[in-house]
Amino acid sequence: MKSTRQIYSLSRSARSYIFGSQHLAPLLCRSYAAAAPATTPKKKSVDKKPAESDSFAFNLFRGKVALSQVLPYPVKLEGEMQEHVQMIVQPAEKFFSEINDAMANDANEAVSPESIEHLKNLGAFGMLVPEEYEGAGLGNLGYARMSQIIGENDLGLGIFVGAHQSIGYKGILLYGTKEQKEKYLPDVATGRKYAAFCLTEPSSGSDASSIRCRAVPAADGTHWVLNGSKIWISNGGIAEVMTVFAQTPVKDPATGQTKDKITAFVVERGFGGVRNGPPEKKMGIKASNTAEVFFEDCKIPNENVLGEVGQGFKVAMNILNNGRFGMATTLAGTMKHCIGKAVDHATNRTQFGSKIHTYGAIQEKLARMCMLQYVTETMGYLLAANMDRGVLDYQVEAAISKIFASEAAWNVTDDAIQILGGMGYMKECGLERVMRDLRIFRIFEGTNDILRLFVALTGMQFAGGHLRELQKALQNPASNFGLLLGETAKRAGKYVGLASVDGTLSANVHPNLAKPAQLASMSIQAFGYSVEEMLVRHGKNIVDQQFLLWRVADAAIDIYGMVATIARASRSLDANSSSAVMEENIVKLWCNIASERVQRNLNVLKSAKDAENFSIMSQISQEVCELKGIPASRNPLGF
Ligand code: MYA
């Protein structure tokens, strides 16, 4: 569970920006006015123009259907890049089927030296690094394809190579100077040196900005001196190159005051003053090294600051955002593997005189597994494609993909084990390793709990900015006629109870998907209204409504999954692809299930019964914490 400090911390920026300087209540719905709390005016927000974005997820929070990043489904590789990626796929698959032994890596708690040599030859340590720096130059879609193959075969190995490049040296790729790139990329891209991302500390997990590692400029100004420690660092025991985040004194030019702000550094083990603890003993991903890293008067040259001094928090967040699609595509591979195992068993195993795949209980599981894999794969590749074409505001989609993928993979693996029954529980079958490996995916790279809050609050912050603009427009209706007319029309639909569903989506997808598209459009509209109502009702206190924010995030995740899969299946239907019929069925099933869940989650936002349940849950939780667990006296026998 998150500490109060962590929970509060997430809200820092959201609290300041969602409502800005004035109440929205009089504008939107009088009956809410009394409930809207007073807000402290904050100059920064008053005149700030609300951000515009083409992100589907951002606009969703305004009830707007923004399709340019989703439809037509933009995932494709062409020309040289396609050939380039295709050329690597086959040797990668061969490597996993003939050389790498995931079970042995797990047992030995390390990837075998033979596998590492092959990975180097495959270019697996520098998939995203341009060829001029000795990398494979694959682009995000190429990386997505490779990560899927890795996810199908060995998640422990995946974290070894993933932590290295997805986050370990990603900062150098994204923020590095020419000199930094020239100095470090060739070594890390070839696997001559390994990299690690050092953010988490004993007292700073989800609350990333509370890190205590500190670097101060040396008296002669030639370098920085770093002290502190980091925990649970993937590749921490083997990395030569580390992206390290530390507090640094930064002078505010406006006030002249010096405050601590986070700065990112590229730290070489060779600088001295760097040591690591023993490899951690973990539940899963055992083949990946995880260790504590200590910095004791470590001298970092000035030129090893990554990005700008004081901008390290944003560097860290953007590295994490940038790497998250890889988790979705990796886990799409893992689910494919599990589905393969389950299908193999279900089509060969006879019970009660029939193959078990003919029974509804098994069919339901297999269908659900295929659906979850499809949604995950669709999201992961969509994100990678958008990143390749230069989209910048993908952080909410990235968080959604990470949350969805890690939970879907867990459920799919669980269902696969269930289908295999006793066989699935045996080590030999390999699924127990997958399950152990998977558990961490809901925890690391941002826990799903914190990312749900991030999704909901970031979206609401965006929507809140636009509501503020509307409020300002109302103060001078004559010169804001267009804006007000649009908003009036939107609200009129709501208040006369019309299902005034935006036709954009249905009009642009294959006719076979008209119904799912309509379900998605209705969900988007209902979602936009619910967000608006929540903003009006709770004001800046929305950030404290975690029970509700959780439901908002879940609804956003479901809707994003609907629209993304509709776009993908529509493209397959248009192209008459061999998988089109299956895709159509999956999308119909997903949209039926997801739209119902969206409605349920949105109903919870205003339900008195659910409010009562949340309050009861708070009480139970508080009591059990006060009692330090369940006391023996609560046993039915009384002792
Ligand atoms: S590494 C450790 C991972 N740790 C985390 O993910 C930490 C999670 N915590 C956070 O993300 C932040 O602390 C939160 C913000 C979100 C809680 N993008 O006041 P604020 C901006 C862009 O809300 P806080 C690991 O596990 C925000 O807008 N911007 O901040 C590796 C605001 O900006 P402004 C963002 O309350 C495991 C400012 O920052 C973002 O302190 C190995 C302050 O915001 C964002 N996301 O908390 C994995 N967030 O001031 C290996 C905030 O301008 C993986 N902001 O308004 C490999 C897998 C793949 C395998 C591949 C095989 C090949």
Side-chain angles (χ1 to χ4, degrees), residues 341-588:
K341 285 233 168 216
V343 166
D344 182 52
H345 183 77
T347 50
N348 285 305
R349 175 84 166 164
T350 300
Q351 288 290 279
F352 307 106
S354 295
K355 299 283 186 212
I356 63 169
H357 73 89
T358 60
Y359 299 124
I362 302 294
Q363 288 172 347
E364 183 173 340
K365 286 187 187 52
L366 286 175
R368 194 167 52 210
M369 291 157 80
C370 290
M371 178 185 80
L372 292 175
Q373 196 274 347
Y374 187 80
V375 181
T376 304
E377 190 178 67
T378 303
M379 286 182 181
Y381 279 86
L382 175 58
L383 188 51
N386 276 327
M387 288 165 67
D388 275 343
R389 57 184 184 157
V391 165
L392 292 175
D393 44 356
Y394 55 78
Q395 60 268 43
V396 176
E397 282 87 348
I400 287 177
S401 305
K402 189 273 182 185
I403 299 168
F404 190 87
S406 54
E407 291 172 10
W410 179 260
N411 290 326
V412 165
T413 308
D414 189 51
D415 271 347
I417 291 175
Q418 193 67 21
I419 289 173
L420 271 96
M423 218 95 78
Y425 195 69
M426 298 299 135
K427 208 173 178 89
E428 188 196 339
C429 153
L431 286 175
E432 66 82 34
R433 171 177 50 78
V434 174
M435 189 128 225
R436 282 189 286 107
D437 288 347
L438 275 176
R439 187 60 187 85
I440 191 64
F441 284 76
R442 286 154 56 200
I443 299 171
F444 68 11
E445 276 219 343
T447 66
N448 288 9
D449 314 70
I450 213 76
L451 288 181
R452 275 192 165 83
L453 300 181
F454 172 73
V455 166
L457 288 175
T458 307
M460 288 186 150
Q461 184 177 334
F462 179 78
H466 286 273
L467 284 176
R468 274 205 310 278
E469 189 189 37
L470 191 58
Q471 186 189 28
K472 268 180 14 199
L474 266 182
Q475 289 164 1
N476 189 0
S479 56
N480 291 290
F481 189 65
L483 174 70
L484 294 176
L485 198 66
E487 292 296 330
T488 310
K490 187 175 147 197
R491 284 175 175 70
K494 177 187 175 191
Y495 292 129
V496 297
L498 294 176
S500 66
V501 172
D502 191 315
T504 329
L505 187 57
S506 314
N508 285 290
V509 300
H510 190 279
N512 291 13
L513 298 174
K515 191 176 157 229
Q518 202 194 21
L519 290 175
S521 297
M522 287 164 70
S523 300
I524 292 167
Q525 193 184 51
F527 183 84
Y529 287 142
S530 299
V531 165
E532 191 176 294
E533 279 177 10
M534 272 185 83
L535 283 170
V536 171
R537 186 175 332 144
H538 296 284
K540 66 175 181 174
N541 294 330
I542 190 68
V543 294
D544 299 321
Q545 303 293 324
Q546 294 202 3
F547 288 105
L548 303 183
L549 292 171
W550 186 278
R551 271 77 195 170
V552 170
D554 274 350
I557 294 167
D558 277 335
I559 294 172
Y560 180 58
M562 279 195 257
V563 177
T565 52
I566 289 169
R568 176 177 170 192
S570 185
R571 189 182 74 169
S572 299
L573 284 161
D574 286 340
N576 218 357
S577 113
S578 58
S579 59
V581 174
M582 191 192 204
E583 290 186 54
E584 179 185 330
N585 276 330
I586 287 177
V587 170
K588 283 178 172 164

Side-chain angles (χ1 to χ4, degrees), residues 81-92:
M81 186 54 100
Q82 183 177 11
E83 279 171 31
H84 190 40
V85 175
Q86 269 174 341
M87 262 170 56
I88 306 181
V89 164
Q90 211 194 3

